[in-house]
Amino acid sequence: MTWDVFISYEHLRELGISVGIFFLFLLFRKLFTKYIFKIILRISRKGKTNFFPNLFLAFQRPMEWVFVIIGIYVAIHYYPYLNQDNVTLIKVIRAVIIFLITWGMFNLASTSSKLFKTINDRTNMKIDEILIPFLSRTLQFIIIAISISVILDVFGYQIGGFLTGLGLGGLAFSLAAKDALANLFGGIIIITEKPFTIDDWIMTPSVEGTVEDISFRSTKVRTFAQALVTVPNATLVNESITNWSKMGKRQITFNIRLTYDSPRSAIKSSVEKMNSLLKNHPEIHQETIFVTVNEYKENGLDILLYFFTETTDWGKYLNIREEINLKILEILDQEGVEIAIPSRKLFLESEEEGEK
């Protein structure tokens, strides 16, 4: 196109109309986002399920870009100075449309966890909680794989040749993906052996906290300081894992050291009352309770208390422990028994005694 043609009235008019068409579709996009989509979403939420609201939300952003693509296509189609039968342009538009559909499906797959949970609640198909994130991510992976294959086919690439190329470079690929495969197999081990699941409180040499998410590559654990720690699955499966959420009861054990000048009868009575306190407490597990005179120490006599609480909840456990400790102090006070405080006595020999 020469400069004279470019600045001609006819060309500028056609160019202006094409640009105007594009901006008109941008206006349609804004109207759709601000008004039409909100009305559709409001109507869909009146239904009994969340499927349609999730569907519309998943495709909201792709639909906004559809207006842009249509605007570009119509503007180019109207503009007479471009080749309307350009094969590359048509392929690019097709690929973009496939990408937008994939984008929406990917977003919808990210909400599939809620779908699987709903199936769990309403049917007899009991899906393990730990499997739900994997199912969702597997679905996303399949969507992306299909999309890539379709886009390659649009541009004329043979999928078979592409896979053959991967086979020729298989060794390099496997070496590069070694860590990723190790994490993937680690995730599979976590699923099959089930050392923990979502919301479990675990402790490992690497981290301690509540499990928030389990993915193909890693497990996310929320610590009690509210930090989010991401641990590779390959690391996690090779460590010892303590699952505190699987406890049936929680242990309490400690020693109380009494002074040697405490009366024997008072010590015996204190032990009996502490034993009775534990055996009659509704929050104490009755299977294992030990209250016994245990050891002679330097500055006192140790009374061993060994028992378990019925609850495994940390906060409730601390409240029960506090209650037991206060009642033990009351028992010792009633019996007139004192707790031994570490101390030393120093005996000085006078000079007169030394001369004798």
Side-chain angles (χ1 to χ4, degrees), residues 3 58 79 101 109 126 135 142 204 210 216 261 265 275 292 299 303 311 325 329 332 340:
W3 175 251
Y79 188 62
I101 295 172
K126 295 301 178 184
L135 292 173
I142 292 172
T204 74
T210 305
F216 285 114
D261 56 5
S265 59
N275 191 51
T292 179
N299 57 336
I303 308 297
T311 183
N325 285 336
L329 288 176
L332 296 178

Side-chain angles (χ1 to χ4, degrees), residues 330-347:
E330 289 180 12
I331 291 172
L332 296 178
D333 187 57
Q334 290 170 3
E335 296 297 327
V337 177
E338 294 183 359
I339 295 176
I341 300 173
S343 60
R344 292 180 180 274
K345 291 183 179 180
L346 183 63
F347 296 93

Side-chain angles (χ1 to χ4, degrees), residues 87 188 227 293 295:
V87 177
I188 294 172
V293 178
E295 287 184 296

Side-chain angles (χ1 to χ4, degrees), residues 94-343:
R94 287 179 180 175
V96 171
I97 292 173
I98 294 168
F99 171 78
L100 293 177
I101 295 172
T102 303
W103 186 4
M105 294 297 294
F106 185 88
N107 292 340
L108 185 61
S110 67
T111 64
S112 61
S113 294
K114 296 179 182 178
L115 175 63
F116 291 129
K117 288 179 181 178
T118 303
I119 294 173
N120 250 6
D121 296 336
R122 299 188 180 182
T123 67
N124 293 325
M125 294 175 58
K126 295 301 178 184
I127 305 172
D128 197 308
E129 290 288 331
I130 202 173
L131 281 173
I132 291 177
F134 276 88
L135 292 173
S136 180
R137 286 173 176 80
T138 301
L139 190 57
Q140 289 178 326
F141 176 78
I142 292 172
I143 290 169
I144 292 174
I146 293 174
S147 174
I148 291 173
S149 65
V150 173
I151 290 174
L152 288 174
D153 186 63
V154 167
F155 285 99
Y157 289 99
Q158 296 297 322
I159 306 301
F162 176 72
L163 294 176
T164 302
L166 288 180
L168 294 174
L171 178 60
F173 179 78
S174 62
L175 291 174
K178 182 178 67 173
D179 292 339
L181 290 174
N183 290 325
L184 174 61
F185 286 118
I188 294 172
I189 291 172
I190 290 173
I191 289 178
T192 54
E193 293 190 358
K194 298 180 184 177
F196 55 82
T197 187
I198 305 295
D199 293 330
D200 277 0
W201 169 19
I202 65 169
M203 181 177 70
T204 74
S206 299
V207 67
E208 179 179 7
T210 305
V211 178
E212 282 200 355
D213 185 37
I214 303 168
S215 66
F216 285 114
R217 194 192 73 83
S218 61
T219 296
K220 293 180 180 178
V221 180
R222 180 76 64 179
T223 68
F224 298 118
Q226 291 304 301
L228 187 63
V229 180
T230 302
V231 185
N233 289 333
T235 301
L236 202 57
V237 295
N238 288 317
E239 295 180 332
S240 59
I241 301 172
T242 302
N243 191 333
W244 293 112
S245 296
K246 300 299 181 184
M247 290 186 299
K249 52 188 178 180
R250 188 182 286 273
Q251 176 185 321
I252 298 178
T253 180
F254 57 91
N255 287 285
I256 299 175
R257 187 164 298 176
L258 306 180
T259 58
Y260 279 121
D261 56 5
S262 301
R264 178 180 173 181
S265 59
I267 294 175
K268 184 177 179 181
S269 177
S270 298
V271 170
E272 290 174 353
K273 286 184 177 180
M274 284 187 279
N275 191 51
S276 176
L277 167 67
L278 298 177
K279 288 186 175 179
N280 291 288
H281 198 289
E283 297 294 339
I284 300 302
H285 197 283
Q286 297 300 309
E287 184 179 335
T288 307
I289 297 175
F290 293 106
V291 182
T292 179
V293 178
N294 188 36
E295 287 184 296
Y296 295 100
K297 292 293 184 178
E298 240 180 68
N299 57 336
L301 186 66
D302 274 2
I303 308 297
L304 170 68
L305 290 95
Y306 183 90
F307 55 98
F308 295 83
T309 61
E310 292 278 3
T311 183
T312 58
D313 180 80
W314 177 245
K316 195 172 181 182
Y317 162 83
L318 291 177
N319 290 334
I320 294 169
R321 183 162 186 160
E322 179 185 42
E323 180 188 345
I324 295 295
N325 285 336
L326 291 174
K327 289 186 177 180
I328 287 174
L329 288 176
E330 289 180 12
I331 291 172
L332 296 178
D333 187 57
Q334 290 170 3
E335 296 297 327
V337 177
E338 294 183 359
I339 295 176
I341 300 173
S343 60

